[in-house]
C-alpha cells in the first residue's frame, strides 16, 4: 500500500527527515516512536502534504501512485487521512456541514452520488457511535470550544466518516486522560479492516496497549534507528529513548541496527 | 493551477449587454435636463419643484472625496447621460407588451417576469437603466392593500403618499449624491404596506444597468404603516464596460408604530477587472426612520460588486422602544474599494441597535467599515451592540475600522467589539487534508466567518450569497 524510499524532508531549510525507508501493507498497524524532535510528526505531515515541508529527496509510492505529486486534498480523496495532533478550529462552520462536504468530495471522487443533509445525518449518527460522540457536537462549529479530548475524538469521528485506506494518527494520545484514550483507541480499532492500514505516531508506549502494532519503528535524528515488533515499544518504555539515541550511555545499542 | 490562471478563468456571468434601442437624452446636467426628464416622465409640477430645489442645492455642494477611504479620478458630471430608457409603449396593460428582448434579459439574470415563470412568493419590480419595465404580482398584492409599483406610477397614481414621504427621511440637501439623485432620479420602486397588513410575499427590485454612458439614479421608498410587516430584497448587476458608471441611489424607509421592515441587498454590480479598469461607482444613501414606537428596521447587505462602494444604510430610532439592525458582509477583491457601514441615531427612549459587520479583503483591495452610533440626550436607556470583524486574504489588501461613538445620555450603553484575522495556512491544510479543494476550503471558512449575517437573509438570498462569495474569491489564495 505504502512504500517510502530514502525520504528526505526539510522545513525552512533545516533537514528533518534524513532518509526514511518504510513499507506498509494492507491490514497492518505500524507505530512510529521516537524522542521529541526525531521527525515523527514531520513524517506524518509530509505524508499528508503539509505545504511548509519540502521533500528534498526520495519517493513515496502509495497504491501505485507517486504520492508526493498529489495536492493534499487529492491525497485525502485517494484515502490518506491524518489525525492532527492539534486539530484546527473553523469558526462558524458546523461539524456536520464540514463532514458532509468532505464526505461528498470523496463520494464524487469515487463516482458515487452525493448524500443530501438528511441522508448524511443518519450516516453521521451511526458513525458517531464509534467514538461515543453526542449529537450536539454535530451542530457546533468545528473544534471551536472543544476540550482537548473532544478534539481528538472528533478526529477519529472524521476518520470513521471518511473511511481512509491509510490513516496516520499524529500523537492522537497526547492530552488524553485514560478514559478518553480508551474511547479513542477503541474507535480506531473498530475502524481497522483487512483492507486498510494505520500508522500510529506516538511518543509513549501507553497508546500501544490499546492499538497494538504489528511493527514498531523508532526514529532518531530523522532516520529509523531501530525496528521490531510490539515488544520493542515495551523495551523502550523500560529503557528510555537514550538507549537508542545515545548508545554510549546505554551501552549496547547500535544506531544502524535497523534492518 | 496557479493563482493567476485561476483568476483569469473567473467569470462575471452577468457581464453581457442587451442590444436594445434606447430613448436617451443628451449628456450633461442643467435645469433644462431636469425639465426634460420631468417632461419625458409626464411628472406634475410639484415633482419639478422637488427636483429643481435639490439641483440648486447640489450646485452648492462638494463631492465627499476626502473623508472616505477611497480614491478615484474626478467624475465629469456633464459627461453623463441622465436618462436612458428602452423604447417601448409608455403604459403597459400587461407583461405581454414588454419588449421580449427585455424579458429575455431578465430571464438570463435569473429573474423571469412572464406570468408562467414568475418566481413563487416573490414580487419583482424590474428596473432597466432609467426605468421600471415590469412589476409582477401587482394585482395580487393590491387585494391585500399593498401597493408595489414603479416610482413613476406611484407619482402618477398615489401622489399624496409620495408627497408625504418623499424626502422625509433623506432630505434633498442631505449629501452630495443624495442631492444629485433627488434632482435626476428616473425611476425605482414604491412600496406601501397599510395598517395591520403582513405583506403576503417578499417584495423585490432588480436593478440592471445596461447603457455604458448613462448613470443609474433610482429611488426606493417603502412605507410600513402601523403594525405592518414587509420583507424587501434588492439585487443588482451590470455589463462589463471599460469605463466606470455612476450609480447613485436613494432608499428611504418609514416604519410607523409597531411596524417592521426587513431590507436585504445582494449587490453584485460589475466590479471592474483585475487591474481595476471599469466597474460601477456605487454611491448610495440608504436610511430608515423608525418613526413609530416599537418599530423595527433591519438592513442586511451582502456587498460583493462595484469598483467602489460608498454606502451607510442607517436607522433613525425616533419612536420609543424602536429597534435598528445592520448586518453586513462586504467583500472586496482585486482593486475594489469599499467604505461602508451604518449610522444608528438613537432619539427615542429604550431604543436598541445592533451592528454586525464582516469585511473580507482579498487581492489589492481596500475595505473599510465606518459606523456612527449616536445617542441623543433624550434617548434614556438606549443600547447599542457593535461587532466589526475583518478578514484579510493575502498580504496586499487592507482593512480598516472607523467607529464614531457619540453618547449624550448617561443611562445608555454602547458596546463595540472588533477583530481582524487572516485565513491561516493551517486552517486550509486541515480542510484540504479532509479532501476539500483549496477554493472550497476558502469558501467554507469565509461562509463560517459570515454566518451571523447570512442567517439574517431570506433563504434563497442566503444560498445566492454563499455561492457568490465562493465565486468572487476563486483563486485569491495560493
Amino acid at each position: 500500500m505504502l512504500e517510502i524510499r530514502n525520504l528526505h524532508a526539510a522545513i525552512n531549510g533545516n533537514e528533518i527527515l534524513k532518509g526514511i525507508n518504510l513499507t506498509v501493507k494492507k491490514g497492518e498497524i505500524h507505530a512510529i516512536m521516537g524522542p521529541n524532535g526525531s521527525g515523527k510528526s514531520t513524517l506524518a505531515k509530509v505524508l499528508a502534504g503539509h505545504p511548509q515541508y519540502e521533500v528534498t529527496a526520495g519517493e513515496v509510492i502509495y497504491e501505485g501512485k507517486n504520492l508526493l505529486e498529489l495536492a493534499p486534498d487529492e491525497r485525502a480523496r485517494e484515502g490518506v487521512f491524518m489525525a492532527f495532533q492539534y486539530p484546527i478550529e473553523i469558526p462558524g462552520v458546523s461539524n456536520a456541514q464540514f463532514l458532509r462536504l468532505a464526505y461528498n468530495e470523496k463520494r464524487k471522487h469515487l463516482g458515487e452520488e452525493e448524500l443530501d443533509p438528511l441522508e448524511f445525518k443518519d450516516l453521521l449518527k451511526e458513525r458517531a457511535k464509534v467514538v461515543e460522540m453526542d449529537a450536539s457536537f454535530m451542530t457546533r462549529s468545528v473544534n471551536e470550544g472543544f476540550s482537548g479530548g473532544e478534539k481528538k475524538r472528533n478526529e477519529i469521528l472524521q476518520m470513521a466518516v471518511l473511511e481512509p485506506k491509510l490513516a496516520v494518527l499524529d500523537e492522537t494520545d497526547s492530552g488524553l486522560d485514560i478514559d478518553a484514550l480508551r474511547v479513542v483507541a477503541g474507535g480506531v480499532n473498530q475502524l481497522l479492516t483487512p483492507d486498510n492500514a494505520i500508522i500510529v505516531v506516538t511518543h509513549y508506549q501507553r497508546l500501544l496497549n490499546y492499538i497494538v502494532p504489528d511493527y514498531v519503528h523508532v526514529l532518531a535524528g530523522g532516520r529509523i534507528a531501530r525496528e521490531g515488533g510490539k515488544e520493542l515499544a515495551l523495551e523502550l518504555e523500560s529503557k528510555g529513548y537514550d538507549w537508542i539515541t545515545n548508545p554510549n550511555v546505554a551501552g549496547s545499542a547500535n544506531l544502524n541496527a535497523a534492518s | 493551477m496557479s493563482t493567476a490562471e485561476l483568476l483569469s478563468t473567473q467569470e462575471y456571468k452577468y457581464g453581457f449587454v442587451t442590444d436594445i434601442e434606447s430613448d436617451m437624452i443628451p449628456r450633461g446636467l442643467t435645469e433644462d435636463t431636469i425639465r426634460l426628464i420631468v417632461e419625458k416622465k409626464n411628472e406634475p409640477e410639484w415633482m419639478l419643484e422637488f427636483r429643481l430645489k435639490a439641483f440648486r442645492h447640489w450646485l452648492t455642494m462638494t463631492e465627499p472625496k476626502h473623508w472616505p477611504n477611497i480614491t478615484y479620478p474626478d467624475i465629469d458630471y456633464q459627461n453623463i447621460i441622465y436618462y436612458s430608457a428602452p423604447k417601448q409603449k409608455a403604459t403597459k396593460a400587461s407583461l405581454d407588451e414588454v419588449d421580449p428582448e427585455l424579458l429575455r434579459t431578465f430571464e438570463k439574470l435569473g429573474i423571469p417576469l412572464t406570468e408562467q415563470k414568475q418566481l413563487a412568493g416573490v414580487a419583482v419590480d424590474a428596473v432597466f437603466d432609467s426605468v421600471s419595465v415590469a412589476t409582477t404580482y401587482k394585482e395580487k398584492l393590491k387585494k391585500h392593500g399593498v401597493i408595489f409599483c414603479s416610482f413613476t406610477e406611484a407619482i402618477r397614481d398615489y401622489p399624496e403618499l409620495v408627497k408625504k414621504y418623499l424626502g422625509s427621511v433623506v432630505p434633498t440637501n442631505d449629501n452630495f449624491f443624495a442631492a444629485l439623485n433627488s434632482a435626476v432620479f428616473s425611476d425605482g420602486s414604491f412600496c406601501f404596506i397599510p395598517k395591520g397588513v403582513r405583506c403576503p410575499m417578499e417584495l423585490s427590485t432588480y436593478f440592471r444597468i445596461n447603457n455604458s454612458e448613462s448613470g443609474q439614479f433610482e429611488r426606493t421608498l417603502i412605507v410600513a404603516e402601523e403594525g405592518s410587516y414587509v420583507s424587501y430584497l434588492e439585487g443588482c448587476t451590470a455589463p462589463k464596460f471599460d469605463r466606470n458608471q455612476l450609480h447613485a441611489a436613494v432608499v428611504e424607509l418609514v416604519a410607523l408604530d409597531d411596524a417592521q421592515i426587513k431590507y436585504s441587498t445582494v449587490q453584485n454590480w460589475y466590479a471592474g477587472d483585475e487591474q481595476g479598469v471599469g466597474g460601477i461607482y456605487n454611491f448610495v444613501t440608504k436610511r430608515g426612520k423608525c418613526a413609530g414606537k416599537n418599530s423595527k428596521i433591519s438592513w442586511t447587505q451582502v456587498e460583493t460588486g462595484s469598483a467602489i462602494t460608498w454606502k451607510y444604510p442607517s436607522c433613525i430610532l425616533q419612536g420609543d422602544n424602536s429597534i435598528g439592525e445592520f448586518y453586513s458582509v462586504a467583500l472586496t477583491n482585486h482593486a475594489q474599494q469599499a467604505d461602508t457601514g451604518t449610522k444608528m441615531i438613537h432619539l427615542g427612549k429604550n431604543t436598541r441597535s445592533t451592528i454586525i459587520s464582516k469585511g473580507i479583503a482579498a487581492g489589492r483591495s481596500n475595505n473599510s467599515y465606518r459606523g456612527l452610533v449616536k445617542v441623543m440626550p433624550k434617548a434614556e436607556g438606549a443600547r447599542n451592540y457593535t461587532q466589526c470583524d475583518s478578514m484579510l486574504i493575502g498580504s496586499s489588501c487592507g482593512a480598516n475600522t472607523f467607529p464614531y461613538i457619540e453618547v449624550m445620555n448617561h443611562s445608555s450603553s454602547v458596546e463595540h467589539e472588533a477583530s481582524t484575522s487572516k485565513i491561516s495556512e493551517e486552517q486550509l491544510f486541515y480542510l484540504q487534508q479532509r479532501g476539500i479543494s483549496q477554493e472550497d476550503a476558502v469558501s467554507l471558512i469565509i461562509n463560517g466567518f459570515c454566518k451571523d449575517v447570512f442567517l439574517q437573509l431570506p433563504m434563497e438570498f442566503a444560498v445566492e450569497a454563499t455561492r457568490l462569495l465562493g465565486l468572487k474569491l476563486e483563486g485569491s489564495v495560493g
Side-chain angles (χ1 to χ4, degrees), chain A:
Chain A
M1 172 179 278
L2 181 75
E3 178 114 33
I4 302 174
R5 294 186 200 130
N6 189 34
L7 183 65
H8 291 250
I11 183 165
N12 301 328
N14 296 324
E15 191 167 61
I16 309 285
L17 300 183
K18 297 171 180 169
I20 301 281
N21 292 290
L22 182 69
T23 302
V24 177
K25 296 198 180 73
K26 280 181 183 175
E28 292 179 349
I29 299 180
H30 289 249
I32 308 284
M33 300 185 71
N36 293 331
S38 60
K40 301 187 302 283
S41 281
T42 297
L43 177 60
K45 286 176 181 163
V46 167
L47 290 177
H50 194 290
Q52 278 179 354
Y53 293 86
E54 188 196 349
V55 173
T56 48
E59 58 181 355
V60 179
I61 306 300
Y62 165 77
E63 297 274 85
K65 295 186 184 79
N66 180 353
L67 188 71
L68 302 177
E69 276 184 354
L70 302 178
D73 49 318
E74 291 171 321
R75 297 183 197 195
R77 291 194 292 269
E78 290 288 341
V80 176
F81 177 91
M82 180 172 100
F84 282 57
Q85 183 179 2
Y86 303 108
I88 310 294
E89 299 180 0
I90 316 283
V93 176
S94 78
N95 228 2
Q97 185 189 0
F98 159 59
L99 282 167
R100 190 169 76 89
L101 183 61
Y103 183 75
N104 278 336
E105 285 300 323
K106 190 194 152 195
R107 301 269 296 191
K108 267 197 277 185
H109 183 68
L110 296 173
E112 294 168 7
E113 256 188 51
E114 297 179 39
L115 293 193
D116 66 36
L118 285 177
E119 290 169 321
F120 184 72
K121 201 178 164 193
D122 291 341
L123 176 120
L124 192 54
K125 209 171 147 190
E126 199 54 44
R127 302 286 161 90
K129 289 179 189 161
V130 170
V131 281
E132 300 172 21
M133 261 176 109
D134 190 77
S136 69
F137 283 94
M138 306 312 154
T139 51
R140 282 169 57 183
S141 293
V142 178
N143 293 325
E144 204 182 28
F146 285 30
S147 70
E150 286 165 350
K151 283 183 181 173
K152 294 299 174 77
R153 281 202 292 184
N154 204 24
E155 292 295 290
I156 304 308
L157 169 65
Q158 293 171 42
M159 178 177 161
V161 168
L162 297 173
E163 299 182 297
K165 287 184 203 159
L166 175 68
V168 184
L169 311 183
D170 186 10
E171 309 240 6
T172 294
D173 51 333
S174 69
L176 291 187
D177 63 28
I178 198 73
D179 293 324
L181 184 67
R182 205 174 284 136
V183 171
V184 165
V188 172
N189 284 327
Q190 286 177 57
L191 297 172
L192 185 69
T193 71
D195 289 321
N196 59 20
I198 298 174
I199 298 176
V200 184
V201 174
T202 181
H203 188 82
Y204 299 105
Q205 191 272 337
R206 65 169 194 167
L207 177 64
L208 306 179
N209 289 334
Y210 300 94
I211 304 173
V212 180
D214 300 299
Y215 302 95
V216 174
H217 314 267
V218 184
L219 249 60
R223 293 188 185 89
I224 292 179
R226 192 174 274 255
E227 289 177 313
K230 63 182 178 208
E231 62 289 342
L232 178 56
L234 293 168
E235 210 176 340
L236 275 174
E237 181 84 348
S238 61
K239 298 184 178 172
Y241 283 113
D242 263 0
W243 166 58
I244 285 171
T245 56
N246 196 347
N248 295 333
V249 174
S252 63
N254 180 342
L255 260 181
N256 297 314
S259 55

Side-chain angles (χ1 to χ4, degrees), chain B residues 158-173:
Chain B
Y158 311 100
E160 292 314 311
L161 282 175
V162 175
K163 251 191 233 174
K164 183 170 176 190
Y165 292 108
L166 180 68
S168 71
V169 186
V170 180
T172 51
N173 61 357

